[in-house]
Amino acid sequence: MSRQFKNPILNWVEYRLPIISFVDDSVGSGYPTPKNLNYWWNFGSLAGIVLVIMLATGIVLAMHYTAHVDHAFNSVERIMRDVNYGWLIRYIHMNGGSMFFIVVYIHLFRGMYYGSYKAPRELLWMIGVFILLAMMATAFMGYVLPWGQMSFWGATVITNLFSAIPLVGDAIVTLLWGGFSVDNPTLNRFFSLHYLLPFVIVGLVVVHLWALHEHKSNNPLGVDIKGEQDLIPFHPYYTIKDLYGMAAFLLFFMFFVFFAPNFFGEPDNYIPADPLVTPAHIVPEWYFLPYYAILRAFTGDFLVYQIISLGGLLMTAKLAGVLAMFASILLLLLLPWLDGSKVRSSKFRPYYAMAFWVFFIDCLVLGYIGGKPAEGAFIVIGQIATAYYFAHLVVIIPIVSRWERPKPIPESISAAVTDAHASKAAE
Amino acid sequence: MKINILKTTIAALAIATVALTSASVQAAGGAPKPPKQNWSFSGLFGTFDRAAAQRGFQVYQEVCAGCHAMDLMSYRHLAGIGFSEDEIKAIAASVEVTDGPDDDGEMFERPGIPADRFLSPFPNDKAAAASNNGKVPPDLTLMTKARFNGPDYVYALLTGYKEEAPEDIEVPEGGSYNTYFPGHIIAMAPPLDDEAVEYTDGTKPTLAQHASDVTTFLAWAAEPELEERKNLGIKVMLFLLVLTGMLYAVKRQVWRDQH
């Protein structure tokens, strides 16, 4: 396993701890990668980069932050005003949360479009879903820490959801709060967990990469790797491509940090938390809006609710909404089996591709509705979009994937590339 | 193929942007959107108009500070809008601060120093509420960040009072009608009018001038890092632009044998 180097020190280390070959085999010239990955494959490494940025800025913020209801808001403002470059660190962290979700959502939709969740990458996909869940928990608790109005009321609304669970719901809520309302114990445990969970994410990412390295990346054609001719070493090809992607992404990220730092935020969170004053509209951060729309779609007269609760007998609309919200993500775990097609890439599945884009737009609609007050047409649109979200996963995908006859797929990655070159030359 | 991906990306980004903006713009309780003003501090290169901010501080001190605290501000911060050290000392010394306890355990009064926080108009929230029909006048330090379109909103609010409310709206005792306040009925009586403050620099004291000056001051108080942020931001963006271009060139070079 261990390799020989010209440098005696490298040899000395490598003989005792083969870390150099380990790194090289993981992200270096020893890791073979499909040669046809497009720029959508940059978003995995971008997510890793954002995770590191969040950890680095978060650790510094924690040095200056005070997790106490009387001091939290002012300690954040002290970071903004008195700590050297505190405003920069805090704005990077604050916008980094949004960037993390943008990157991860693109990464996730890329996986859906190119069928990256299919055998033999089911576990890789499922670990990814768990990373998303851990991210959501982390982001939610992080948003509570500045102890502004939206922090407090968001925490109140979301933690209250658990009270819908029969029998144990109230006990769970009391446990989350550490008391009988969102208060100092809540803030303290959220701070503790907000510091812990990112390291859980790091652990999950390691397992995610482990599974990735076993069967290598999927690719835009979705065909299996047939041999050496389909592969190129990760370094230098994808290291430089990922670096280029990182720089371009940082341009986007830093524009918000320096010129529109509060674009993704809610002004209400610059008002200190006040348990006696409820904001006119309690809205979660943008990345939660689709789930929030699903949650609120479940009213007593929503047809889907009437059906799954047997006319309201089985559960309350609130419980149905909570279950639907969690199901909207947990269902993704089953995607490898809901999709019955052997062909991965949407390039060869025109009907599935169409369904994919409608689903994508449906998610945007849900996000839009989640940010609107629950009134009038917004309710109906939200309910239709919610019904479609689940219909896509449990009806449309299973049927389309089993019914559709895919276009012929290329024999191999290199064969497709050669063909493309041949046809280009013919033109 | 590449062009297709680019098109899809642009379309997706456009949709996402529309979705995000509309999601973050909330209906403000039936109040119209405040008209957009031309602020010295907006735009990529915007800086605070020092003279306006200093006049705005005068307006705050002589009018707003009667009811509204700015708890996060210290007098020393005023250096940020161009007050000299001596001016700051004089401003701070004009207030009496309660300090202590001293070695005998007694609280005592002393003139303010630059390190002191702005003196609050009320000793505590209860006192503030008691003097203001039961509602604490909000702290103004972060006001322009704590409202949608903050500076435009503050300006519109200060100039948006109407003596005659529309016929279908009844203004209760102690309230006023304001076009831009959510719900229109505001507990704060019109705080400014023409010649509310006599400017030391001889600027003509109009309502619009007062409102615009105090908004500039409040915007600075809410985002004292704004100039440094934009200044550094330009450098960072230029650096990243060059870096991105160079990395793209290297990428092309490395991938040459693959295309």
Side-chain angles (χ1 to χ4, degrees):
Chain A
M1 200 49 204
S2 78
R3 282 181 218 173
Q4 292 293 313
F5 301 95
K6 277 190 194 132
N7 185 326
I9 298 172
L10 288 186
N11 268 334
W12 189 92
V13 173
E14 175 74 8
Y15 182 69
R16 284 153 183 84
L17 176 74
I19 190 170
I20 301 161
S21 52
F22 176 77
V23 171
D24 192 53
D25 291 342
S26 305
V27 290
S29 54
Y31 178 56
T33 320
K35 62 207 265 185
N36 62 334
L37 301 188
N38 59 31
Y39 278 104
W40 296 115
W41 262 262
N42 277 50
F43 288 87
S45 79
L46 287 180
I49 290 163
V50 183
L51 176 60
V52 171
I53 293 175
M54 293 303 276
L55 283 166
T57 50
I59 287 168
V60 177
L61 288 175
M63 295 174 188
H64 300 279
Y65 171 75
T66 309
H68 188 286
V69 290
D70 292 340
H71 305 295
F73 187 91
N74 283 346
S75 75
V76 171
E77 277 307 314
R78 208 183 75 82
I79 292 170
M80 294 294 293
R81 288 154 185 276
D82 293 338
V83 174
N84 289 330
Y85 289 100
W87 58 268
L88 178 59
I89 296 164
R90 196 233 170 180
Y91 275 157
I92 290 177
H93 197 74
M94 200 173 113
N95 285 282
S98 286
M99 293 301 143
F100 208 170
F101 278 94
I102 290 176
V103 165
V104 162
Y105 282 150
I106 294 175
H107 186 61
L108 190 154
F109 278 116
R110 189 271 288 153
M112 282 185 158
Y113 185 83
Y114 292 111
S116 301
Y117 47 83
K118 293 188 186 185
R121 297 185 185 84
E122 301 96 320
L123 278 178
L124 172 61
W125 169 262
M126 292 164 79
I127 295 159
V129 175
F130 286 119
I131 293 176
L132 177 63
L133 286 170
M135 276 176 63
M136 292 170 68
T138 310
F140 165 65
M141 289 191 264
Y143 193 62
V144 176
L145 302 185
W147 210 243
Q149 273 289 67
M150 226 36 115
S151 299
F152 178 86
W153 289 98
T156 302
V157 170
I158 301 301
T159 48
N160 256 316
L161 294 177
F162 291 90
S163 69
I165 301 169
L167 304 176
V168 293
D170 287 331
I172 291 176
V173 175
T174 308
L175 187 67
L176 285 172
W177 285 345
F180 301 100
S181 68
V182 175
D183 207 335
N184 202 46
T186 325
L187 180 60
N188 269 292
R189 62 193 56 196
F190 278 19
F191 180 48
S192 170
L193 294 173
H194 183 71
Y195 209 117
L196 167 71
L197 280 178
F199 296 98
V200 173
I201 295 178
V202 170
L204 286 168
V205 167
V206 169
V207 188
H208 193 63
L209 290 177
W210 188 4
L212 173 74
H213 282 66
E214 187 61 26
H215 289 284
K216 315 285 183 277
S217 292
N218 182 31
N219 64 83
L221 294 171
V223 295
D224 287 328
I225 295 162
K226 296 281 158 51
E228 286 301 314
Q229 69 282 4
D230 294 343
L231 298 165
I232 45 176
F234 189 84
H235 181 72
Y237 292 104
Y238 288 107
T239 39
I240 185 63
K241 195 174 176 180
D242 281 347
L243 275 176
Y244 164 53
M246 177 191 76
F249 166 72
L250 284 179
L251 264 174
F252 177 76
F253 185 173
M254 290 303 137
F255 175 80
F256 285 101
V257 168
F258 286 103
F259 298 104
N262 294 301
F263 175 81
F264 293 106
E266 283 292 322
D268 270 24
N269 229 26
Y270 283 108
I271 304 170
D274 185 346
L276 300 178
V277 180
T278 317
H281 299 290
I282 301 174
V283 275
E285 288 281 83
W286 69 267
Y287 38 81
F288 291 138
L289 291 176
Y291 317 108
Y292 196 51
I294 290 174
L295 170 77
R296 294 192 305 179
F298 283 80
T299 54
D301 54 356
F302 183 28
L303 188 65
V304 177
Y305 164 65
Q306 289 289 337
I307 294 167
I308 61 169
S309 67
L310 304 176
L313 282 176
L314 233 48
M315 59 183 118
T316 60
K318 183 181 172 188
L319 178 58
V322 173
L323 293 178
M325 188 172 72
F326 284 108
S328 68
I329 295 167
L330 293 176
L331 265 180
L332 296 177
L333 292 171
L334 302 179
L335 196 55
W337 297 278
L338 292 168
D339 185 338
S341 172
K342 288 272 175 283
V343 175
R344 295 194 187 95
S345 176
S346 289
K347 279 190 174 178
F348 309 108
R349 306 168 63 193
Y351 290 102
Y352 172 82
M354 238 185 289
F356 168 86
W357 285 112
V358 177
F359 178 69
F360 177 72
I361 292 166
D362 188 61
C363 291
L364 293 183
V365 170
L366 281 171
Y368 173 77
I369 295 296
K372 291 285 170 193
E375 60 195 28
F378 295 136
I379 298 179
V380 183
I381 298 170
Q383 291 179 336
I384 294 169
T386 299
Y388 187 84
Y389 183 97
F390 290 103
H392 174 81
L393 291 176
V394 298
V395 181
I396 296 174
I397 284 190
I399 292 176
V400 168
S401 63
R402 285 167 178 84
W403 158 83
E404 181 174 19
R405 302 208 44 191
K407 294 199 247 177
I409 55 170
E411 214 153 286
S412 71
I413 295 170
S414 61
V417 173
T418 326
D419 285 353
H421 275 275
S423 63
K424 229 184 218 170
E427 282 168 24
Chain B
M1 189 55 225
K2 276 223 170 95
I3 294 176
N4 257 337
I5 289 179
L6 199 68
K7 270 188 190 161
T8 340
T9 322
I10 293 170
L13 280 178
I15 297 170
T17 317
V18 172
L20 289 179
T21 356
S22 41
S24 55
V25 176
Q26 291 294 316
K33 198 173 180 243
K36 215 171 154 46
Q37 307 294 331
N38 196 13
W39 297 110
S40 56
F41 49 85
S42 40
L44 294 188
F45 301 96
T47 53
F48 293 107
D49 178 342
R50 295 291 190 282
Q54 290 193 12
R55 287 194 302 269
F57 171 67
Q58 196 191 342
V59 176
Y60 167 73
Q61 226 188 2
E62 291 181 20
V63 182
C64 320
C67 300
H68 294 277
M70 290 183 84
D71 280 345
L72 298 170
M73 301 293 294
S74 293
Y75 294 105
R76 65 180 169 86
H77 288 144
L78 291 170
I81 47 173
F83 281 106
S84 71
E85 208 171 313
D86 290 337
E87 285 172 318
I88 292 172
K89 276 184 185 159
I91 292 167
S94 68
V95 299
E96 284 286 304
V97 180
T98 307
D99 203 349
D102 61 13
D103 291 345
D104 298 324
E106 303 294 331
M107 301 302 282
F108 59 93
E109 299 279 313
R110 60 161 174 79
I113 55 170
D116 283 326
R117 298 279 164 141
F118 279 18
L119 186 70
S120 286
F122 301 102
N124 52 58
D125 279 357
K126 295 268 185 207
S131 315
N132 289 282
N133 290 326
K135 202 167 176 299
V136 184
D139 187 282
L140 294 184
T141 319
L142 291 167
M143 186 49 74
T144 61
K145 278 173 111 175
R147 299 289 183 275
F148 282 104
N149 309 306
D152 292 341
Y153 170 77
V154 171
Y155 179 84
L157 184 90
L158 290 173
T159 54
Y161 282 90
K162 291 270 182 299
E163 287 198 14
E164 296 286 320
E167 278 177 16
D168 54 330
I169 292 182
E170 191 162 336
V171 181
E173 181 75 20
S176 302
Y177 181 86
N178 191 302
T179 314
Y180 295 100
F181 190 71
H184 297 305
I185 307 299
I186 184 168
M188 175 169 70
L192 299 170
D193 50 32
D194 291 340
E195 293 169 37
V197 173
E198 194 178 328
Y199 284 130
T200 49
D201 68 356
T203 305
K204 193 160 180 270
T206 62
L207 168 61
Q209 187 69 43
H210 292 324
S212 140
D213 287 347
V214 81
T215 304
T216 303
F217 168 69
L218 291 179
W220 165 76
E223 300 190 275
E225 88 298 342
L226 179 138
E227 290 180 3
E228 191 192 2
R229 168 159 60 76
K230 289 181 178 181
N231 196 346
L232 183 59
I234 297 288
K235 289 174 194 152
V236 169
M237 296 304 278
L238 285 176
F239 168 78
L240 284 175
L241 212 58
V242 173
L243 181 70
T244 308
M246 279 167 47
L247 285 172
Y248 180 66
V250 178
K251 191 254 163 194
R252 297 266 310 192
Q253 185 67 17
V254 168
W255 279 76
R256 211 178 25 170
D257 60 346
Q258 291 293 330
H259 286 299

